[in-house]
Amino acid sequence: MKRVLITGAAGFLGSHLCDRFIKEGYHVIGMDNLITGDLKNIEHLFKLEHFEFYHHDVSKFVHVPGHLDYILHFASPASPIDYLKIPIQTLKVGSLGTHNLLGLAKAKNARMLIASTSEVYGDPTVHPQTEDYWGNVNPVGPRGVYDEAKRFQEAMTMAYHTFHGLETRIIRIFNTYGPRMRLNDGRVLPTFIGQALRGEDLTAFGDGTQTRSFCYVDDLVEGIYRLLLSDYAYPVNIGNPDEITIREFAEEILKLTGANQQVIFKPLPVDDPKQRRPDITKAKELLGWEPKVSRAEGLKRTYEYFRSLSERDLRPKDFDHYNK
Ligand code: UDP
């Protein structure tokens, strides 16, 4: 039986990956330090014979007994407000954590896939973004802790590939959404849906003309799975090229939820990228992959999930738990 280690297993993407690999017949070892992850996302897996969980911070030495075929490194805070609250942890998990896991992959002769990001392109001057664009990142801005950790992560992974001959895969993930996102993580979709459900106005930042391109989680997981099993070691964009302004996006959420509120405007955060859309030519050619779930369908499924949360879960929370 093939064995896979998934870091960030209790998070949004990690938990969906655990589900997918269980479904494919793997033995899944999940790892998370639960700073931003939530055990609720994987509690349904604990009863399974072929799922194990380690409560561990991958920035510290990682030990896993037995053989491993694959390591998927998905542990990281992933929201701009997280970067402000836990900047050092964000840097460490992308840098020290990646180094520890590459060492583990080398010791186990496992293939390593890292979750990189469209943030490596920063506020892009090339549109749509192709993998050969080097990016426009402010290293000392509020997003620098995430962007630079991910850029370091790519460089470190490539060095293990070229110097040690390790089998590695690099996926650059664009904005992704779906069930199990944290309602209070500050990202645009859970924020808007939470506001709609609580009867509050929707807060578009800036004038709302900045764009993003949103990919439904099931499509992303399929892309990750295909890339892992491919033989391509260089970065591949995975995302949905269907681009929309944030203002239009807010209006779509109001329509979907039937809420009566308005869109109001708040100051634009520092270094907020003005536009973002993946060029997915490479993923199409190499992996035969393209997104299948439309935004209308994906938003409907995601809204159903948030609607099923209890009243208590819909209240905004503070971030004191970060300091525990
Ligand atoms: N945004 C917004 N209102 C919010 C939260 C986010 O208008 O309440 C905007 C944000 O400024 C950015 C876009 O939505 O332009 C996507 O933000 P998110 O934090 O989801 O991810 P990003 O793509 O910026 O990393």
Side-chain angles (χ1 to χ4, degrees), residues 80 119 143 175 186-189 191-192 195 203-205 210 212 246 268-269 272-273 276:
E119 282 286 322
R143 290 170 180 253
N175 293 68
R187 279 186 289 179
V188 66
L189 180 130
T191 303
F192 283 174
Q195 288 166 335
T203 52
F205 294 160
Q210 70 273 34
R212 294 294 185 274
I246 292 302
L268 190 68
D272 197 287
R276 186 181 288 153

PDB file of all heavy atoms in Angstrom, residues 80 119 143 175 186-189 191-192 195 203-205 210 212 246 268-269 272-273 276, ligand 1:
ATOM      1  N   PRO A  80      -3.818  36.975   4.123  1.00  0.00           N
ATOM      2  CA  PRO A  80      -3.089  38.199   4.474  1.00  0.00           C
ATOM      3  C   PRO A  80      -3.231  38.603   5.945  1.00  0.00           C
ATOM      4  O   PRO A  80      -2.273  39.104   6.531  1.00  0.00           O
ATOM      5  CB  PRO A  80      -3.701  39.246   3.544  1.00  0.00           C
ATOM      6  CG  PRO A  80      -4.135  38.455   2.352  1.00  0.00           C
ATOM      7  CD  PRO A  80      -4.596  37.134   2.884  1.00  0.00           C
ATOM      8  N   GLU A 119       1.260  34.045  -5.312  1.00  0.00           N
ATOM      9  CA  GLU A 119       1.921  35.162  -4.620  1.00  0.00           C
ATOM     10  C   GLU A 119       3.395  35.279  -5.004  1.00  0.00           C
ATOM     11  O   GLU A 119       4.006  36.320  -4.767  1.00  0.00           O
ATOM     12  CB  GLU A 119       1.787  35.014  -3.104  1.00  0.00           C
ATOM     13  CG  GLU A 119       0.429  35.422  -2.570  1.00  0.00           C
ATOM     14  CD  GLU A 119       0.193  36.932  -2.544  1.00  0.00           C
ATOM     15  OE1 GLU A 119       1.143  37.668  -2.241  1.00  0.00           O
ATOM     16  OE2 GLU A 119      -0.924  37.361  -2.838  1.00  0.00           O
ATOM     17  N   ARG A 143       2.928  41.257   2.930  1.00  0.00           N
ATOM     18  CA  ARG A 143       2.821  39.915   2.347  1.00  0.00           C
ATOM     19  C   ARG A 143       4.182  39.248   2.165  1.00  0.00           C
ATOM     20  O   ARG A 143       4.255  38.091   1.761  1.00  0.00           O
ATOM     21  CB  ARG A 143       2.148  39.995   0.972  1.00  0.00           C
ATOM     22  CG  ARG A 143       0.687  40.355   1.026  1.00  0.00           C
ATOM     23  CD  ARG A 143       0.169  40.639  -0.372  1.00  0.00           C
ATOM     24  NE  ARG A 143      -1.235  40.982  -0.317  1.00  0.00           N
ATOM     25  CZ  ARG A 143      -2.231  40.183  -0.727  1.00  0.00           C
ATOM     26  NH1 ARG A 143      -1.976  39.010  -1.257  1.00  0.00           N
ATOM     27  NH2 ARG A 143      -3.484  40.560  -0.629  1.00  0.00           N
ATOM     28  N   ASN A 175      -6.010  31.638  -6.323  1.00  0.00           N
ATOM     29  CA  ASN A 175      -7.122  31.702  -5.353  1.00  0.00           C
ATOM     30  C   ASN A 175      -8.053  30.497  -5.490  1.00  0.00           C
ATOM     31  O   ASN A 175      -8.579  30.236  -6.580  1.00  0.00           O
ATOM     32  CB  ASN A 175      -7.941  32.983  -5.569  1.00  0.00           C
ATOM     33  CG  ASN A 175      -7.132  34.223  -5.235  1.00  0.00           C
ATOM     34  OD1 ASN A 175      -6.168  34.552  -5.941  1.00  0.00           O
ATOM     35  ND2 ASN A 175      -7.496  34.907  -4.171  1.00  0.00           N
ATOM     36  N   GLY A 186     -10.303  36.046   6.899  1.00  0.00           N
ATOM     37  CA  GLY A 186     -10.076  37.360   6.299  1.00  0.00           C
ATOM     38  C   GLY A 186     -10.070  37.321   4.788  1.00  0.00           C
ATOM     39  O   GLY A 186     -10.063  38.367   4.143  1.00  0.00           O
ATOM     40  N   ARG A 187     -10.083  36.129   4.208  1.00  0.00           N
ATOM     41  CA  ARG A 187     -10.071  36.102   2.746  1.00  0.00           C
ATOM     42  C   ARG A 187     -11.451  36.437   2.195  1.00  0.00           C
ATOM     43  O   ARG A 187     -12.471  36.312   2.871  1.00  0.00           O
ATOM     44  CB  ARG A 187      -9.539  34.766   2.243  1.00  0.00           C
ATOM     45  CG  ARG A 187      -8.017  34.811   2.312  1.00  0.00           C
ATOM     46  CD  ARG A 187      -7.384  33.628   1.707  1.00  0.00           C
ATOM     47  NE  ARG A 187      -7.606  32.464   2.533  1.00  0.00           N
ATOM     48  CZ  ARG A 187      -7.164  31.267   2.205  1.00  0.00           C
ATOM     49  NH1 ARG A 187      -6.503  31.097   1.088  1.00  0.00           N
ATOM     50  NH2 ARG A 187      -7.372  30.242   2.993  1.00  0.00           N
ATOM     51  N   VAL A 188     -11.453  36.822   0.940  1.00  0.00           N
ATOM     52  CA  VAL A 188     -12.618  37.522   0.437  1.00  0.00           C
ATOM     53  C   VAL A 188     -13.884  36.661   0.435  1.00  0.00           C
ATOM     54  O   VAL A 188     -14.948  37.119   0.839  1.00  0.00           O
ATOM     55  CB  VAL A 188     -12.314  38.150  -0.951  1.00  0.00           C
ATOM     56  CG1 VAL A 188     -12.066  37.105  -2.019  1.00  0.00           C
ATOM     57  CG2 VAL A 188     -13.402  39.104  -1.359  1.00  0.00           C
ATOM     58  N   LEU A 189     -13.788  35.405   0.027  1.00  0.00           N
ATOM     59  CA  LEU A 189     -15.025  34.638  -0.104  1.00  0.00           C
ATOM     60  C   LEU A 189     -15.678  34.322   1.238  1.00  0.00           C
ATOM     61  O   LEU A 189     -16.867  34.612   1.425  1.00  0.00           O
ATOM     62  CB  LEU A 189     -14.786  33.361  -0.913  1.00  0.00           C
ATOM     63  CG  LEU A 189     -16.068  32.563  -1.048  1.00  0.00           C
ATOM     64  CD1 LEU A 189     -16.339  32.177  -2.462  1.00  0.00           C
ATOM     65  CD2 LEU A 189     -16.052  31.353  -0.158  1.00  0.00           C
ATOM     66  N   THR A 191     -15.284  35.903   3.961  1.00  0.00           N
ATOM     67  CA  THR A 191     -15.691  37.191   4.550  1.00  0.00           C
ATOM     68  C   THR A 191     -17.034  37.625   3.975  1.00  0.00           C
ATOM     69  O   THR A 191     -17.968  37.949   4.715  1.00  0.00           O
ATOM     70  CB  THR A 191     -14.628  38.273   4.274  1.00  0.00           C
ATOM     71  OG1 THR A 191     -13.385  37.828   4.793  1.00  0.00           O
ATOM     72  CG2 THR A 191     -15.005  39.598   4.920  1.00  0.00           C
ATOM     73  N   PHE A 192     -17.151  37.601   2.650  1.00  0.00           N
ATOM     74  CA  PHE A 192     -18.404  38.050   2.019  1.00  0.00           C
ATOM     75  C   PHE A 192     -19.576  37.145   2.419  1.00  0.00           C
ATOM     76  O   PHE A 192     -20.664  37.628   2.726  1.00  0.00           O
ATOM     77  CB  PHE A 192     -18.264  38.058   0.487  1.00  0.00           C
ATOM     78  CG  PHE A 192     -17.491  39.236  -0.067  1.00  0.00           C
ATOM     79  CD1 PHE A 192     -17.188  39.296  -1.426  1.00  0.00           C
ATOM     80  CD2 PHE A 192     -17.081  40.281   0.750  1.00  0.00           C
ATOM     81  CE1 PHE A 192     -16.486  40.384  -1.966  1.00  0.00           C
ATOM     82  CE2 PHE A 192     -16.370  41.375   0.228  1.00  0.00           C
ATOM     83  CZ  PHE A 192     -16.071  41.419  -1.134  1.00  0.00           C
ATOM     84  N   GLN A 195     -20.541  37.828   5.988  1.00  0.00           N
ATOM     85  CA  GLN A 195     -21.240  39.112   6.106  1.00  0.00           C
ATOM     86  C   GLN A 195     -22.682  38.975   5.606  1.00  0.00           C
ATOM     87  O   GLN A 195     -23.621  39.450   6.252  1.00  0.00           O
ATOM     88  CB  GLN A 195     -20.489  40.194   5.312  1.00  0.00           C
ATOM     89  CG  GLN A 195     -19.172  40.593   5.987  1.00  0.00           C
ATOM     90  CD  GLN A 195     -18.246  41.406   5.087  1.00  0.00           C
ATOM     91  OE1 GLN A 195     -18.307  41.323   3.865  1.00  0.00           O
ATOM     92  NE2 GLN A 195     -17.366  42.190   5.714  1.00  0.00           N
ATOM     93  N   THR A 203     -17.828  44.185   2.519  1.00  0.00           N
ATOM     94  CA  THR A 203     -16.733  45.164   2.494  1.00  0.00           C
ATOM     95  C   THR A 203     -15.778  44.896   1.330  1.00  0.00           C
ATOM     96  O   THR A 203     -14.904  44.030   1.417  1.00  0.00           O
ATOM     97  CB  THR A 203     -15.929  45.070   3.805  1.00  0.00           C
ATOM     98  OG1 THR A 203     -15.556  43.687   4.010  1.00  0.00           O
ATOM     99  CG2 THR A 203     -16.741  45.554   4.995  1.00  0.00           C
ATOM    100  N   ALA A 204     -15.935  45.641   0.227  1.00  0.00           N
ATOM    101  CA  ALA A 204     -14.951  45.546  -0.859  1.00  0.00           C
ATOM    102  C   ALA A 204     -13.811  46.494  -0.529  1.00  0.00           C
ATOM    103  O   ALA A 204     -14.050  47.632  -0.104  1.00  0.00           O
ATOM    104  CB  ALA A 204     -15.593  45.926  -2.189  1.00  0.00           C
ATOM    105  N   PHE A 205     -12.592  46.047  -0.708  1.00  0.00           N
ATOM    106  CA  PHE A 205     -11.440  46.897  -0.414  1.00  0.00           C
ATOM    107  C   PHE A 205     -11.063  47.703  -1.654  1.00  0.00           C
ATOM    108  O   PHE A 205     -11.162  47.204  -2.783  1.00  0.00           O
ATOM    109  CB  PHE A 205     -10.252  46.048   0.049  1.00  0.00           C
ATOM    110  CG  PHE A 205     -10.484  45.354   1.368  1.00  0.00           C
ATOM    111  CD1 PHE A 205      -9.719  44.251   1.747  1.00  0.00           C
ATOM    112  CD2 PHE A 205     -11.460  45.801   2.269  1.00  0.00           C
ATOM    113  CE1 PHE A 205      -9.928  43.615   2.965  1.00  0.00           C
ATOM    114  CE2 PHE A 205     -11.679  45.172   3.493  1.00  0.00           C
ATOM    115  CZ  PHE A 205     -10.912  44.072   3.835  1.00  0.00           C
ATOM    116  N   GLN A 210      -9.940  45.642  -8.456  1.00  0.00           N
ATOM    117  CA  GLN A 210      -8.892  44.622  -8.534  1.00  0.00           C
ATOM    118  C   GLN A 210      -9.534  43.280  -8.899  1.00  0.00           C
ATOM    119  O   GLN A 210     -10.689  43.037  -8.554  1.00  0.00           O
ATOM    120  CB  GLN A 210      -8.090  44.529  -7.211  1.00  0.00           C
ATOM    121  CG  GLN A 210      -8.793  43.960  -6.010  1.00  0.00           C
ATOM    122  CD  GLN A 210      -9.574  45.003  -5.227  1.00  0.00           C
ATOM    123  OE1 GLN A 210     -10.117  45.932  -5.785  1.00  0.00           O
ATOM    124  NE2 GLN A 210      -9.675  44.821  -3.914  1.00  0.00           N
ATOM    125  N   ARG A 212      -9.468  38.892  -9.321  1.00  0.00           N
ATOM    126  CA  ARG A 212      -8.968  37.584  -8.926  1.00  0.00           C
ATOM    127  C   ARG A 212      -9.673  36.550  -9.810  1.00  0.00           C
ATOM    128  O   ARG A 212     -10.679  36.844 -10.447  1.00  0.00           O
ATOM    129  CB  ARG A 212      -9.275  37.268  -7.454  1.00  0.00           C
ATOM    130  CG  ARG A 212      -8.570  38.158  -6.430  1.00  0.00           C
ATOM    131  CD  ARG A 212      -7.060  37.961  -6.424  1.00  0.00           C
ATOM    132  NE  ARG A 212      -6.405  38.722  -5.372  1.00  0.00           N
ATOM    133  CZ  ARG A 212      -6.012  39.996  -5.484  1.00  0.00           C
ATOM    134  NH1 ARG A 212      -6.221  40.664  -6.605  1.00  0.00           N
ATOM    135  NH2 ARG A 212      -5.407  40.589  -4.480  1.00  0.00           N
ATOM    136  N   ILE A 246     -13.459  42.292  -7.824  1.00  0.00           N
ATOM    137  CA  ILE A 246     -13.946  42.003  -6.470  1.00  0.00           C
ATOM    138  C   ILE A 246     -15.340  42.609  -6.267  1.00  0.00           C
ATOM    139  O   ILE A 246     -16.191  42.032  -5.597  1.00  0.00           O
ATOM    140  CB  ILE A 246     -12.926  42.520  -5.428  1.00  0.00           C
ATOM    141  CG1 ILE A 246     -11.639  41.681  -5.522  1.00  0.00           C
ATOM    142  CG2 ILE A 246     -13.491  42.507  -4.024  1.00  0.00           C
ATOM    143  CD1 ILE A 246     -11.812  40.172  -5.312  1.00  0.00           C
ATOM    144  N   LEU A 268      -7.855  49.947   0.686  1.00  0.00           N
ATOM    145  CA  LEU A 268      -7.155  48.802   0.086  1.00  0.00           C
ATOM    146  C   LEU A 268      -5.922  48.459   0.918  1.00  0.00           C
ATOM    147  O   LEU A 268      -5.120  49.342   1.224  1.00  0.00           O
ATOM    148  CB  LEU A 268      -6.731  49.182  -1.338  1.00  0.00           C
ATOM    149  CG  LEU A 268      -6.193  48.061  -2.222  1.00  0.00           C
ATOM    150  CD1 LEU A 268      -7.305  47.073  -2.565  1.00  0.00           C
ATOM    151  CD2 LEU A 268      -5.598  48.628  -3.506  1.00  0.00           C
ATOM    152  N   PRO A 269      -5.755  47.184   1.318  1.00  0.00           N
ATOM    153  CA  PRO A 269      -4.544  46.818   2.069  1.00  0.00           C
ATOM    154  C   PRO A 269      -3.277  47.088   1.246  1.00  0.00           C
ATOM    155  O   PRO A 269      -3.302  47.059   0.012  1.00  0.00           O
ATOM    156  CB  PRO A 269      -4.716  45.315   2.304  1.00  0.00           C
ATOM    157  CG  PRO A 269      -6.173  45.049   2.109  1.00  0.00           C
ATOM    158  CD  PRO A 269      -6.653  46.050   1.115  1.00  0.00           C
ATOM    159  N   ASP A 272      -1.730  45.041  -2.138  1.00  0.00           N
ATOM    160  CA  ASP A 272      -2.785  44.149  -2.639  1.00  0.00           C
ATOM    161  C   ASP A 272      -2.656  44.060  -4.168  1.00  0.00           C
ATOM    162  O   ASP A 272      -2.755  45.074  -4.867  1.00  0.00           O
ATOM    163  CB  ASP A 272      -4.137  44.766  -2.261  1.00  0.00           C
ATOM    164  CG  ASP A 272      -5.287  43.793  -2.335  1.00  0.00           C
ATOM    165  OD1 ASP A 272      -5.689  43.448  -3.468  1.00  0.00           O
ATOM    166  OD2 ASP A 272      -5.777  43.384  -1.278  1.00  0.00           O
ATOM    167  N   PRO A 273      -2.419  42.861  -4.723  1.00  0.00           N
ATOM    168  CA  PRO A 273      -2.242  42.764  -6.184  1.00  0.00           C
ATOM    169  C   PRO A 273      -3.462  43.294  -6.952  1.00  0.00           C
ATOM    170  O   PRO A 273      -4.589  43.031  -6.565  1.00  0.00           O
ATOM    171  CB  PRO A 273      -2.050  41.263  -6.416  1.00  0.00           C
ATOM    172  CG  PRO A 273      -1.520  40.748  -5.115  1.00  0.00           C
ATOM    173  CD  PRO A 273      -2.182  41.574  -4.056  1.00  0.00           C
ATOM    174  N   ARG A 276      -5.023  39.325 -11.123  1.00  0.00           N
ATOM    175  CA  ARG A 276      -4.450  37.982 -11.033  1.00  0.00           C
ATOM    176  C   ARG A 276      -5.271  36.999 -11.853  1.00  0.00           C
ATOM    177  O   ARG A 276      -6.480  36.878 -11.668  1.00  0.00           O
ATOM    178  CB  ARG A 276      -4.410  37.528  -9.572  1.00  0.00           C
ATOM    179  CG  ARG A 276      -3.695  36.205  -9.406  1.00  0.00           C
ATOM    180  CD  ARG A 276      -3.685  35.742  -7.976  1.00  0.00           C
ATOM    181  NE  ARG A 276      -2.803  36.511  -7.140  1.00  0.00           N
ATOM    182  CZ  ARG A 276      -2.988  36.650  -5.817  1.00  0.00           C
ATOM    183  NH1 ARG A 276      -4.040  36.126  -5.249  1.00  0.00           N
ATOM    184  NH2 ARG A 276      -2.122  37.318  -5.104  1.00  0.00           N
TER     185      ARG A 276
HETATM  186  N1  UDP B   1     -11.017  41.748  -0.243  1.00  0.00           N
HETATM  187  C1  UDP B   1     -12.103  42.601  -0.130  1.00  0.00           C
HETATM  188  N2  UDP B   1     -12.866  42.556   1.004  1.00  0.00           N
HETATM  189  C2  UDP B   1     -12.616  41.699   2.027  1.00  0.00           C
HETATM  190  C3  UDP B   1     -11.517  40.807   1.898  1.00  0.00           C
HETATM  191  C4  UDP B   1     -10.732  40.858   0.755  1.00  0.00           C
HETATM  192  O1  UDP B   1     -12.372  43.403  -1.035  1.00  0.00           O
HETATM  193  O2  UDP B   1     -13.370  41.739   3.033  1.00  0.00           O
HETATM  194  C5  UDP B   1     -10.198  41.811  -1.468  1.00  0.00           C
HETATM  195  C6  UDP B   1      -8.697  41.931  -1.217  1.00  0.00           C
HETATM  196  O3  UDP B   1      -8.315  43.287  -1.044  1.00  0.00           O
HETATM  197  C7  UDP B   1      -8.122  41.327  -2.492  1.00  0.00           C
HETATM  198  C8  UDP B   1      -9.173  40.281  -2.890  1.00  0.00           C
HETATM  199  O4  UDP B   1     -10.357  40.605  -2.175  1.00  0.00           O
HETATM  200  O5  UDP B   1      -8.049  42.299  -3.511  1.00  0.00           O
HETATM  201  C9  UDP B   1      -8.768  38.863  -2.556  1.00  0.00           C
HETATM  202  O6  UDP B   1      -8.340  38.870  -1.216  1.00  0.00           O
HETATM  203  P1  UDP B   1      -7.946  37.555  -0.421  1.00  0.00           P
HETATM  204  O7  UDP B   1      -7.521  37.991   0.939  1.00  0.00           O
HETATM  205  O8  UDP B   1      -9.057  36.575  -0.507  1.00  0.00           O
HETATM  206  O9  UDP B   1      -6.723  36.910  -1.202  1.00  0.00           O
HETATM  207  P2  UDP B   1      -5.468  37.471  -2.024  1.00  0.00           P
HETATM  208  O10 UDP B   1      -5.752  37.062  -3.408  1.00  0.00           O
HETATM  209  O11 UDP B   1      -5.393  38.984  -1.908  1.00  0.00           O
HETATM  210  O12 UDP B   1      -4.295  36.811  -1.421  1.00  0.00           O
END
